[in-house]
Amino acid sequence: MQSEQQYIELYKEARELIFSHAPEPMNAVRDEAFSDFVSAGFPSKKVERYKYTDVQKLFEPDYGVNINRLQIPVDPYEAFHCDVPNLSTSLYFVVNDMFFHDDKPKAHLPEGVIVGSMRDYPEVVAQYYGKLAKTSDDGITALNTMLAQDGLLVYVPRNVKVDRTIQVINILKTTPQNAQRQVPDLMVNRRVLIVVEEGAEVKMLFCDHAADDRHFLATQVIEACVGENASLDLYCMEETHHKNVRLSNVYISQQANSRVNHNVITLHNGITRNRLDLVFNGEGAECQCYGCVIADKQQHVDNNTLIVHRVPHCTSNELYKYVLDDKAVGAFAGRVLVEHGAQKTSSQMTNQNLTATKEARMYTQPMLEIYADDVKCAHGSTVGQLNDAALFYMRQRGISLQEAKLLLQNAFINEVIDKMVLEPLRDRLHHLVEKRFRGELNKCEGCKLCH
């Protein structure tokens, strides 16, 4: 319990200060989350869903936590450009775990749509916060819930369609270092609540970046409530650096005839663990879940998914692809649970992986658990290397070995990118992925923060 103890003591010592800087709906579930964390602690590798990532070790270092809510001096508009050409977005920033307030004009949103800090909309937050992310089920969710002091609220009222993509830039930034005080490595706890009411539609793009050459540990919990006949497209792209640890838990609830398109893209990272829990609570709903991972050096990427079919006539489709080089480690564990009575379920889960070296490691575990007899479900996984025959064929036509490998890797990963609904984002990712394979994408293009 050594890694847990420092956070238990922190909460006991700073509880009143944490409460004073947070809205009431977040405080209402905080003590219960603390009790759950004390009881369960961080999940060990003996826990089935965490056996590929040593979470306890990740939390052992002494990270600083901005409980006093000090403002971090950064102007993201001047310092950062995360542009997707030809994609018009409504742009917002989260600096560490605080919504970035500014007076600059925002793109017009339809009437009733909210994109802002949870602190400013306690009535809406109180209805939905903590309803999907159960702190008794996961130690990281419990830790995030007991320490998070602010969060991002995205609310789309009934029958409202948001045509412009909402883009959220998550920036990790420490305070400036001075002679009097050594700046510690930083831990942040981000919280996101997405509510898409009946008949509403919204597309969201989250981009994660690190602004300093420091060690960061980021926990993130996203709760998404998708109403009847509603539509949510959720894209999460990580472009940080090798000193960054990211643990993200996404919880999605779908009602009847709703549609969810969830995409997770890892281009640059240190250690990443993404968890997705999606539950069908109404008939006729469908989800498309795609993952794209490119890792090299000693990077570690672990994607863990659970899709629960509780009702009949729902459709789920998963496709995750990894390309691993050097000594990178990848893991994918996906589970589809079809409960009693969930007849006419259709589910497909596929995980395909390329290991470019003998030192790269990939762990894959697709699972089906079915308690209904009239279903159509399938799953499969592959781990392999580049096709020698294809490489030989391309070499015979004057293509260098390095270029041949690049073309094959691109073709392999592009199957995932081509399934993304946002065409401008698809085009941008094709460009970034090619640069990533060529080793040219060492910094985010256009970003001045790390220069």
Side-chain angles (χ1 to χ4, degrees):
M1 291 286 288
Q2 182 178 358
S3 56
E4 291 91 348
Q5 194 59 40
Q6 60 179 321
Y7 298 104
I8 293 172
E9 293 175 359
L10 171 66
Y11 186 82
K12 290 179 178 178
E13 294 172 1
R15 179 183 179 277
E16 297 305 318
L17 187 58
I18 293 172
F19 269 68
S20 67
H21 289 292
E24 175 54 33
M26 300 184 79
N27 289 334
V29 297
R30 198 177 300 280
D31 284 341
E32 182 181 355
F34 173 69
S35 297
D36 289 334
F37 181 74
V38 172
S39 299
F42 293 120
S44 71
K45 295 184 74 173
K46 295 181 180 179
V47 176
E48 180 67 22
R49 296 195 70 176
Y50 283 90
K51 66 181 182 179
Y52 300 120
T53 302
D54 191 348
V55 171
Q56 294 179 333
K57 184 177 180 180
L58 299 179
F59 284 90
E60 286 178 359
D62 183 15
Y63 288 95
V65 182
N66 186 12
I67 290 176
N68 286 303
R69 314 313 287 161
L70 301 175
Q71 294 295 322
I72 305 298
V74 59
D75 184 352
Y77 290 97
E78 290 295 327
F80 190 81
H81 303 280
C82 187
D83 294 329
V84 179
N86 303 317
L87 178 64
S88 180
T89 66
S90 299
L91 186 61
Y92 299 87
F93 293 92
V94 174
V95 179
N96 295 330
D97 48 17
M98 298 173 65
F99 182 78
F100 183 80
H101 290 276
D102 61 70
D103 298 326
K104 296 187 179 182
K106 297 290 185 184
H108 176 70
L109 293 173
E111 184 177 357
V113 175
I114 297 172
V115 181
S117 168
M118 290 187 190
R119 299 170 62 90
D120 300 329
Y121 305 94
E123 295 84 5
V124 177
V125 174
Q127 296 180 54
Y128 300 96
Y129 184 80
K131 300 299 190 294
L132 303 181
K134 301 298 184 183
T135 57
S136 58
D137 294 339
D138 186 271
I140 296 171
T141 296
L143 177 76
N144 178 282
T145 304
M146 81 187 205
L147 293 180
Q149 294 170 276
D150 192 8
L152 173 70
L153 170 66
V154 178
Y155 172 79
V156 186
R158 182 175 180 178
N159 295 325
V160 172
K161 293 177 174 55
V162 183
D163 295 326
R164 187 188 295 262
T165 300
I166 296 172
Q167 185 177 12
V168 180
I169 309 296
N170 294 317
I171 296 180
L172 295 170
K173 184 79 168 68
T174 57
T175 55
Q177 187 171 342
N178 55 50
Q180 287 74 37
R181 184 166 63 94
Q182 177 71 28
V183 177
D185 297 327
L186 187 64
M187 172 183 177
V188 304
N189 299 285
R190 287 195 297 260
R191 196 72 183 223
V192 180
L193 176 60
I194 303 171
V195 180
V196 189
E197 289 193 338
E198 179 182 349
E201 296 181 7
V202 66
K203 297 180 179 66
M204 299 202 62
L205 171 60
F206 287 89
C207 302
D208 285 15
H209 301 274
D212 291 332
D213 186 25
R214 307 287 301 179
H215 289 276
F216 293 98
L217 189 154
T219 73
Q220 174 177 268
V221 174
I222 298 178
E223 296 178 280
C225 305
V226 186
E228 188 172 340
N229 294 303
S231 175
L232 170 65
D233 285 15
L234 180 60
Y235 300 85
C236 300
M237 183 164 63
E238 183 180 6
E239 293 181 274
T240 55
H241 56 56
H242 71 282
K243 295 181 180 180
N244 188 66
V245 176
R246 176 182 186 266
L247 301 111
S248 175
N249 290 354
V250 178
Y251 300 88
I252 301 175
S253 172
Q254 290 190 239
Q255 302 304 321
N257 301 308
S258 61
R259 184 189 67 83
V260 165
N261 186 4
H262 178 264
N263 298 263
V264 56
I265 306 109
T266 305
L267 294 182
H268 276 290
N269 74 305
I271 298 175
T272 296
R273 191 192 189 268
N274 299 312
R275 167 175 171 163
L276 169 65
D277 285 24
L278 187 147
V279 181
F280 291 113
N281 289 307
E283 295 188 25
E286 64 177 73
C287 73
Q288 309 291 329
C289 302
Y290 303 117
C292 167
V293 175
I294 301 173
D296 55 14
K297 301 181 178 65
Q298 294 181 326
Q299 296 168 348
H300 178 105
V301 184
D302 179 357
N303 283 294
N304 189 290
T305 70
L306 169 64
I307 296 180
V308 180
H309 289 259
R310 285 185 176 166
V311 293
H313 300 284
C314 291
T315 301
S316 65
N317 183 36
E318 290 182 84
L319 174 62
Y320 280 73
K321 284 196 168 190
Y322 291 62
V323 176
L324 305 175
D325 205 346
D326 300 327
K327 296 182 179 180
V329 176
F332 172 81
R335 178 178 169 222
V336 173
L337 171 60
V338 183
E339 296 188 347
H340 290 285
Q343 307 295 349
K344 303 296 183 182
T345 286
S346 177
S347 177
Q348 174 68 46
M349 181 198 307
T350 304
N351 173 227
Q352 297 175 334
N353 313 281
L354 278 179
T355 54
T357 66
K358 293 182 179 179
E359 291 77 21
R361 293 289 180 268
M362 182 68 204
Y363 303 92
T364 178
Q365 187 181 21
M367 296 171 282
L368 295 176
E369 190 172 345
I370 302 172
Y371 298 97
D373 53 14
D374 186 7
V375 301
K376 185 179 180 181
C377 298
H379 70 296
S381 67
T382 60
V383 180
Q385 296 181 327
L386 293 174
N387 187 290
D388 289 336
L391 285 173
F392 178 78
Y393 179 87
M394 297 170 76
R395 297 285 313 274
Q396 290 293 98
R397 278 146 185 81
I399 300 175
S400 69
L401 178 61
Q402 182 178 359
E403 189 70 16
K405 288 181 177 180
L406 171 70
L407 292 173
L408 290 177
Q409 289 173 335
N410 258 323
F412 177 80
I413 210 74
N414 282 344
E415 182 185 358
V416 177
I417 298 175
D418 287 339
K419 293 183 179 295
M420 296 182 182
V421 176
L422 291 177
E423 183 177 352
L425 180 60
R426 282 203 310 266
D427 295 339
R428 180 62 170 166
L429 283 173
H430 283 308
H431 172 69
L432 292 178
V433 165
E434 181 176 348
K435 294 191 71 172
R436 177 72 172 88
F437 282 134
R438 293 185 184 277
E440 299 173 5
L441 198 63
N442 293 323
K443 295 186 178 70
C444 306
E445 188 174 25
C447 177
K448 302 176 183 178
L449 290 173
C450 300
H451 290 187

